[in-house]
Amino acid sequence: MHSAVFLIEFGAIILGLGLLGRFAGRFRFSPIPLYLLAGLAFGKGGLLPFGASEEFVAIGAEIGVILLLLMLGLEYTASDLVSNLKTQYPAGLVDFGLNAVPGAVAALLMGWGPVAAVVLAGVTWISSSGVIAKVMGDLGRLGNRETPVILSILVLEDLAMAVYLPIITALLAGVGLAAGSATLAIALGVAGAVLFVAVRYGRLISRFVSSDDPEKLLLVVLGLTLLVAGVAQQLQVSAAVGAFLVGIALSGEVADGAHTLLSPLRDLFAAVFFVFFGLHTDPASIPPVLLPALALAVVTALTKIATGYWAARRAGIGVKGRWRAGGTLVARGEFSIVIAGLAVTAGVQPELGPFATAYVLILVVIGPLTARYTEPVATWIGSRRTSPPPEEAPVPEPAPEPVRVPDAGPGSATDRV
């Protein structure tokens, strides 16, 4: 009976996702906000809570994040990654300054203390690679000139998580300096080793994975990705970072073939991830923290737009591309929830969990909209400011007054104009 209920619930989820996707496609916008709202409707405190399929949906959501980051990594080669890290690191510093500081200041203003400030700084700092990768694919922008700038910032953020997560874990656990340093050293060593292997032996890995049989290629790539992601997570490094580095290591025909084969799986499990995010959000916990979360969301949406605009201008991208880059970076998602979840588990601040959930939910709904409409809105405002004022109709000049001059004859006069 439990199996039957599971099949019914999970089948209903997948069918509902398909219908929502078709609805969004008809009106040419990203289906991600609809997936999240569906999760809210059928999650804890929603209209019709699901239960039997929750564990499977959780596993599917984790696979969805891993596949999203793998596909993002397939867009780059290892040499591209190293080059972008060398040229775009100033954008990463600007990104940190503009977007982490507002979260830390907000936590301190609300009296949550320094540890909560470090946590909320991470929540507001990191954009959602999963949401942004999906949005760029939906909007057909993967080949745009500003896309490498966006991906470079996302890469820097994801790699920074390899340092940030061990630090925040040590702070929340209250461990000593020695234990925290050891955790950080392990995380950095693992991330550095995987990156070194990807750069140095990427061709050998691609040759090992390569196969003319699509079935064998799919199984090997998917198995390798899940294996590396699991090992990375076991060693206190994000599974998403591990999956991204696997995508970096694959290149050439292998990357093209894996991209084609994995795209349907990515779309399926990515949709499950967004639904799962909504399923674990109690709608009743959102109203008390909605206004401060909304205020912080507006501030950090503007700072993300400024970050993308600055980075794209520095890379020589045109004005429209700068606005597209800024609008695309607004969404927060999986990493922000992971960071907030660590703090909630540690019992740092009871209100931090609902606050972070409301904040991420606002930006993950607004993010696809800013990605789509920031550039046309900015263009429209710019055209209104630079358009010349309407010309006034010319005022006709009055006719000249007649001038009276004396006539040649005595005592006579004539009017001459």
Side-chain angles (χ1 to χ4, degrees), residues 11-379:
I13 291 174
I14 300 301
L15 177 61
L17 292 177
L19 295 176
L20 290 174
R22 291 178 62 180
F23 176 81
R26 176 165 296 185
F27 292 95
R28 299 181 63 82
F29 67 91
S30 174
I32 293 173
L34 299 182
Y35 294 159
L36 288 164
L37 293 176
L40 279 175
F42 296 103
K44 297 178 180 179
L47 300 175
L48 184 62
F50 285 149
S53 59
E54 182 175 341
E55 185 176 354
F56 185 84
V57 172
I59 297 173
E62 191 167 357
I63 294 174
V65 175
I66 289 171
L67 289 179
L68 281 168
L69 271 294
L70 170 66
M71 302 295 279
L72 194 63
L74 289 174
E75 300 292 335
Y76 267 115
T77 64
S79 58
D80 291 335
L81 173 65
V82 174
S83 174
N84 282 320
L85 290 178
K86 289 180 179 179
T87 57
Q88 294 297 333
Y89 74 90
L93 296 176
V94 171
D95 180 31
F96 173 78
L98 288 180
N99 298 287
V101 172
V105 171
L108 294 175
L109 289 177
M110 289 185 284
W112 289 354
V115 175
V118 176
V119 171
L120 197 56
V123 171
T124 58
W125 171 25
I126 305 299
S127 297
S128 172
S129 300
V131 174
I132 291 171
K134 184 73 168 61
V135 168
M136 288 194 299
D138 291 340
L139 297 177
R141 293 182 179 175
L142 292 177
N144 284 16
R145 287 194 61 203
E146 73 273 6
T147 297
V149 176
I150 297 170
L151 295 181
S152 296
I153 293 175
L154 295 179
V155 169
L156 290 168
E157 289 180 349
D158 290 343
L159 292 178
M161 284 295 95
V163 179
Y164 176 83
L165 287 177
I167 291 175
I168 197 64
T169 302
L171 286 175
L172 294 173
V175 300
L177 179 63
S181 301
T183 303
L184 178 60
I186 293 173
L188 290 176
V190 172
V194 175
L195 184 59
F196 173 79
V197 170
V199 173
R200 188 70 178 270
Y201 302 105
R203 292 184 179 179
L204 294 177
I205 296 173
S206 298
R207 192 178 306 167
F208 167 76
V209 172
S210 179
S211 175
D212 295 332
D213 188 343
E215 178 184 354
K216 294 183 177 64
L217 178 62
L218 174 63
L219 292 174
V220 172
V221 172
L222 184 59
L224 179 64
T225 302
L226 295 176
L227 177 64
V228 173
V231 171
Q233 188 163 331
Q234 191 70 23
L235 295 174
Q236 306 300 321
V237 182
S238 169
V241 172
F244 177 81
L245 294 175
V246 170
I248 291 292
L250 302 178
S251 59
E253 295 181 359
V254 174
D256 295 336
H259 193 284
T260 302
L261 292 172
L262 289 170
S263 291
L265 281 177
R266 174 203 59 186
D267 294 339
L268 170 62
F269 285 107
V272 172
F273 162 73
F274 297 120
V275 171
F276 176 75
F277 181 78
L279 287 174
H280 279 252
T281 302
D282 186 357
S285 66
I286 294 179
V289 295
L290 185 58
L291 287 180
L294 179 61
L296 184 60
V298 171
V299 171
T300 52
L302 295 176
T303 55
K304 274 291 181 182
I305 292 174
T307 299
Y309 187 96
W310 184 89
R313 185 180 66 177
R314 180 175 177 273
I317 308 299
V319 175
K320 291 185 177 181
R322 298 173 196 173
W323 288 116
R324 287 194 297 267
T328 303
L329 288 169
V330 166
R332 272 63 158 194
E334 57 275 4
F335 273 133
S336 299
I337 292 301
V338 168
I339 295 167
L342 291 173
V344 171
T345 303
V348 173
Q349 178 66 38
E351 295 180 354
L352 183 58
F355 182 90
T357 300
Y359 170 82
V360 173
L361 185 62
I362 291 168
L363 287 183
V364 85
V365 171
I366 293 177
L369 302 178
T370 58
R372 174 68 180 85
Y373 295 109
T374 297
E375 180 261 319
V377 169
T379 301

